Amino acid sequence: MTLLDHVPAAPAEAAGEAAGDGGRALVRALHALVRAEAGAEAHAAGVEAADLEQSVWLKLLERRDGPGVPADPARWVRAAVRAEARVARRRIRRERAYTAGEPPGDWTGCPERIAVGADERRALRTALGRLPGRCPRLLEAMLAPHDPTYREIAGELGMSQGSLGPMRSRCLGCLRRMLAAEVVAPELRGMER
């Protein structure tokens, strides 16, 4: 809950507890000014007035722990609201919303993604070597970087092109079962029946 969610007397009580009756009086005196200034600057800054108001109250509360109450509180409020509005405008200029379907970042050169991808390819190649019969050669040919056609694979392996599809299905099923056995099954959660 923020200061903005309270009625005007509640922020005064919260600030007054920290600094005595002088804090209550200051918050009561500045409440209307902070709200008006934040409302005036918020539209131009492209932010909600309540967000701007909250950041100014936070600055004032932080200031009470440090340099204390400003000499001219009204002038300080105006300056603080304008400073927070400038910060918000700069942030909005830098930030860009994602469009639908756009990935949240460029992960192509990410070291973590490269390492995970290399581990996955290594595990797949190791599992391919343990497959029975002609499956290792068939799946290796299908995973070739130059993306061969069924005709090229059939010629390379010396088998008919029509038998590649059923054999590929059997080999992939075997590979799935092999990899599923290596992955630990997650524990059941919640109520069991």
Side-chain angles (χ1 to χ4, degrees):
M1 190 166 263
T2 66
L3 289 174
L4 301 175
D5 297 327
H6 298 285
V7 293
E13 292 170 9
E17 289 172 7
D21 289 337
R24 283 186 194 152
L26 178 67
V27 171
R28 275 193 205 117
L30 295 180
H31 184 74
L33 180 62
V34 169
R35 178 159 285 169
E37 288 288 328
E41 292 287 331
H43 182 68
V47 295
E48 301 253 345
D51 292 340
L52 199 55
E53 188 177 344
Q54 183 177 7
S55 61
V56 171
W57 282 118
L58 182 63
K59 266 184 139 175
L60 182 64
L61 291 174
E62 288 172 347
R63 183 176 175 88
R64 293 188 58 73
D65 291 338
V69 178
D72 185 4
R75 175 180 249 163
W76 182 88
V77 165
R78 287 186 197 102
V81 168
R82 290 189 179 109
E84 290 298 318
R86 277 193 305 275
V87 168
R89 277 194 296 275
R90 280 190 221 118
R91 185 176 54 245
I92 287 172
R93 275 194 302 254
R94 282 191 317 261
E95 292 176 352
R96 183 177 59 87
Y98 292 123
T99 58
E102 180 183 2
D106 182 20
W107 290 89
T108 54
C110 174
E112 182 180 0
R113 176 67 55 99
I114 292 169
V116 168
D119 284 344
E120 288 173 350
R121 285 188 298 279
R122 194 175 308 114
L124 179 63
R125 299 287 179 186
T126 303
L128 285 180
R130 294 189 318 243
L131 287 172
R134 297 197 299 192
C135 287
R137 288 187 58 213
L138 172 67
L139 293 180
E140 282 289 341
M142 290 191 162
L143 289 173
H146 63 278
D147 196 25
T149 63
Y150 267 34
R151 177 176 285 167
E152 293 169 344
I153 294 172
E156 181 182 326
L157 297 176
M159 54 192 308
S160 71
Q161 187 176 342
S163 65
L164 282 181
M167 185 173 182
R168 178 188 64 99
S169 294
R170 284 192 303 273
C171 293
L172 288 176
C174 185
L175 182 63
R176 274 191 213 101
R177 285 188 301 275
M178 185 183 301
L179 292 176
E182 292 176 2
V183 175
V184 177
E187 293 181 15
L188 292 175
R189 294 184 181 169
M191 296 177 59
E192 296 180 29
R193 293 183 185 209

